[in-house]
Amino acid sequence: VDLCVHDFNRELVDSFVEKGAGSVSGPAEMMRRCDVVITCLPSPAASTAVVTEMLPHVTRGKTWVEMSTTDEEELRRLAGLVAEAGGNTAECPVSGGCHRADTGNLSIFAGCDSRGVFEEVLPLLTVLGRRVLHTGPIGSASKLKVMTNYLGTVNLVSCCEAMTTMKAAGVDMATCYEAMKMSSGTSFVHETESQLILSGSRNVNFTMDLVLKDIGLFQKLADQHGVPLEVSPLVIDIMKDGQKRFGHRAQSDRIIERLEEATQLSIRAEGFPTELIDDEPEERGYEVKVTRGAG
């Protein structure tokens, strides 16, 4: 595969060029030179700006793969413009964390308006990720992605409350971690981010502004469909308070520090890692088939 890259971080671009990739001056040149263009951007506004630059150079046979966590309404609008120009869109947000991105061990939700487009991009997605789920038409993957990020944030907040309560009750924190991990109350967030909280690192490489963007998109989706959520507004308020206390782009795991300040307790333990490393063997990805019950 011939690869071209572009990013505002020149050092990151150079690291790929050293491995044999080409580089381009911006989105417009990227679309001119490449058959498939992948974007992974921090906000819906950034995605809109980049696609606007690329649109004049979209032609028949070109495919835009959007891997950002973004607004499904705006994504569908942009996909419509790409289609008018003769191109295809595959909506492919990812889940699993930066440590799994390093090893290609990600889950990918793929929203495509046709099975044909999905099958066109599937070989590429099975290199970038491990588990690939065709979620349905454009928009479906973004809905599922913000839902999963909402669940992750709820898990993070509940883990913080659980560990702080156990610390106050005199439970050893390493023992608490193992008890949570082996119980029905465990989660991916606990088994990864709780370790970074306990080590004191609190650096999961995901910031509070991104969390608030994602859970805000989930709340917007619920509001649009008349679902009276109760937990979601509370979680949004908690994360906004954390952002106010610790900074706009503070690491999301620092949300534990609200409770540490309130209780004067230190939620830490010896022997936990300061960074996450994916130790699963690398292997080619595969399509996940939806299991449907009979009848």
Side-chain angles (χ1 to χ4, degrees):
V1 175
D2 291 329
L3 178 68
C4 287
V5 295
H6 176 69
D7 194 270
F8 287 145
N9 184 336
R10 189 64 224 181
E11 290 183 3
L12 188 60
V13 171
D14 290 342
S15 70
F16 277 87
V17 171
E18 289 173 2
K19 297 174 185 177
S23 66
V24 296
S25 59
E29 185 183 356
M30 182 73 78
M31 184 57 79
R32 283 197 303 269
R33 288 182 56 176
C34 300
D35 295 325
V36 177
V37 175
I38 300 171
T39 54
C40 192
L41 298 158
S43 69
S47 291
T48 299
V50 167
V51 174
T52 299
E53 285 191 48
M54 294 193 302
L55 270 173
H57 309 284
V58 174
T59 56
R60 188 167 302 280
K62 289 183 179 288
T63 300
W64 169 45
V65 178
E66 169 64 298
M67 303 192 87
S68 315
T69 302
T70 191
D71 181 78
E72 58 96 9
E73 287 187 320
E74 178 63 2
L75 177 60
R76 285 191 284 108
R77 185 187 74 84
L78 294 172
L81 296 175
V82 170
E84 289 176 7
N88 296 314
T89 297
E91 163 202 29
C92 301
V94 301
S95 183
C98 291
H99 68 297
R100 286 191 166 187
D102 289 340
T103 59
N105 189 12
L106 291 167
S107 297
I108 301 178
F109 305 135
C112 306
D113 282 340
S114 74
R115 179 72 192 183
V117 173
F118 173 74
E119 291 179 350
E120 176 192 334
V121 299
L122 182 59
L124 179 60
L125 299 181
T126 56
V127 173
L128 296 171
R130 186 71 49 82
R131 296 154 295 276
V132 184
L133 177 66
H134 185 200
T135 59
I138 294 292
S140 60
S142 289
K143 292 175 185 176
L144 289 165
K145 177 60 196 298
V146 297
M147 177 270 291
T148 63
N149 279 21
Y150 165 70
L151 288 174
T153 307
V154 171
N155 271 262
L156 173 61
V157 171
S158 65
C159 285
C160 290
E161 292 187 347
M163 290 190 293
T164 305
T165 301
M166 291 299 97
K167 178 73 172 184
V171 175
D172 173 73
M173 284 290 92
T175 303
C176 175
Y177 172 83
E178 292 298 338
M180 291 169 66
K181 182 180 177 180
M182 66 188 287
S183 76
S184 59
T186 195
S187 66
F188 177 81
V189 169
H190 170 62
E191 294 178 21
T192 54
E193 296 187 46
S194 288
Q195 296 195 73
L196 299 179
I197 288 172
L198 291 170
S199 73
S201 162
R202 283 96 195 259
N203 184 2
V204 71
N205 203 16
F206 200 71
T207 52
M208 290 187 185
D209 59 315
L210 296 178
V211 171
L212 280 165
K213 182 256 294 183
D214 294 349
I215 62 179
L217 289 170
F218 177 75
Q219 181 65 52
K220 175 185 174 182
L221 192 61
D223 291 342
Q224 287 173 335
H225 293 279
V227 182
L229 301 183
E230 296 178 283
V231 174
S232 175
L234 294 175
V235 173
I236 290 172
D237 286 344
I238 288 169
M239 295 306 299
K240 283 183 176 179
D241 182 63
Q243 194 178 51
K244 181 179 179 182
R245 291 168 185 251
F246 309 124
H248 181 72
R249 290 186 53 78
Q251 289 294 319
S252 57
D253 285 347
R254 290 191 64 190
I255 204 67
I256 185 68
E257 295 171 22
R258 294 174 69 253
L259 289 170
E260 287 182 321
E261 289 178 359
T263 61
Q264 296 301 298
L265 296 171
S266 176
I267 312 304
R268 301 192 184 205
E270 296 292 330
F272 287 90
T274 58
E275 64 177 337
L276 297 175
I277 297 174
D278 180 29
D279 57 5
E280 291 186 25
E282 292 191 36
E283 59 184 46
R284 186 78 182 221
Y286 57 90
E287 179 184 359
V288 174
K289 300 288 189 177
V290 176
T291 301
R292 304 188 188 278

